[in-house]
């Protein structure tokens, strides 16, 4: 099964090797037929403490690294 990849913005970088990423998704409400935005926060593993608040990042599912952290920041080969 492929790992999910999400894109979002870093909203917190206070913890060591961890960033909090806010991911927004848009969908049409089934009754109101209106576009709705929902956000969810994920804790992601950041090995080198590279990312800061406001950075746009991609995160990928991984094996659990702690009680709340089962995502990791994807480093694009560039």
């Amino acid at each position: 099964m492929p790992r999910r990849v999400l894109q979002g913005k870093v909203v917190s970088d206070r913890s060591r090797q961890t960033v909090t990423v806010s991911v927004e998704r848009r969908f049409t409400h089934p009754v109101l037929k209106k576009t709705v935005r929902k956000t969810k926060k994920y804790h992601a593993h950041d090995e080198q403490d590279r990312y800061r608040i406001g950075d746009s990042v991609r995160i990928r599912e991984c094996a659990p690294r702690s009680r709340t952290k089962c995502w990791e920041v994807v480093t694009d080969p560039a």
Side-chain angles (χ1 to χ4, degrees):
M1 190 163 132
R3 296 176 177 168
R4 291 187 297 163
V5 176
L6 302 175
Q7 184 170 1
K9 247 185 189 167
V10 176
V11 293
S12 175
D13 62 351
R14 296 180 77 180
S15 300
R16 195 168 66 76
Q17 292 188 343
T18 302
V19 291
T20 303
V21 180
S22 179
V23 175
E24 178 183 289
R25 67 184 187 97
R26 293 176 183 218
F27 62 96
T28 304
H29 192 280
V31 175
L32 301 177
K33 306 299 184 209
K34 180 179 177 180
T35 302
V36 181
R37 296 187 310 180
K38 281 204 175 221
T39 59
K40 187 172 179 181
K41 293 181 184 177
Y42 297 93
H43 295 288
H45 184 69
D46 176 17
E47 188 72 37
Q48 287 94 21
D49 282 329
R50 184 185 310 176
Y51 301 99
R52 298 290 169 235
I53 295 175
D55 291 348
S56 182
V57 296
R58 292 173 59 206
I59 58 175
R60 172 179 65 196
E61 267 185 319
C62 66
R65 295 182 184 255
S66 70
R67 186 168 63 100
T68 60
K69 192 165 55 166
C70 59
W71 293 83
E72 61 189 2
V73 177
V74 176
T75 55
D76 293 324

